[in-house]
Amino acid sequence: MKAGSRLEKILEKGLFAVTGELGPPKGNNIEVIKKKADLLRGYVDAVNVTDNQTAIVRMSSIATSSHLVGIGLEP
């Protein structure tokens, strides 16, 4: 099954892919996600969103990923 993602296309071509990691905020402040995303934009092909990082309750990784898609990054 093909996802059609940017990462998939890069890997299919045999190119080197760069991924980054983004930890969701402890609250529901979307601005935190935007600031972190701005640090990764232009440098990574895809973003890994951590889940329950350091065993502290944070915004869900699915919600964070949804916001990343909305601002143009591929989780």
Side-chain angles (χ1 to χ4, degrees), residues 23-54:
K26 292 180 185 174
N28 61 356
N29 187 350
I30 298 170
E31 292 303 314
V32 174
I33 298 170
K34 290 179 181 177
K35 286 179 183 177
K36 291 181 177 185
D38 286 343
L39 295 172
L40 296 173
R41 188 182 321 282
Y43 296 101
V44 299
D45 300 306
V47 179
N48 173 45
V49 181
T50 59
D51 189 23
N52 199 24
Q53 184 182 17
T54 64

Side-chain angles (χ1 to χ4, degrees), residues 4-8 45-48 68-69 72-75:
S5 68
R6 176 181 173 174
L7 180 61
E8 179 182 54
D45 300 306
V47 179
N48 173 45
L68 289 175
V69 169
L73 286 178
E74 184 175 296

Side-chain angles (χ1 to χ4, degrees), residues 2 4 6 8 10-13 18-24 30-32 37 48 52-55 57 59 66 71 75:
K2 300 283 183 175
R6 176 181 173 174
E8 179 182 54
I10 289 169
L11 294 175
E12 280 183 342
K13 292 178 183 176
V18 177
T19 61
E21 186 173 278
L22 188 144
I30 298 170
E31 292 303 314
V32 174
N48 173 45
N52 199 24
Q53 184 182 17
T54 64
V57 176
M59 181 185 287
S66 175
I71 59 176

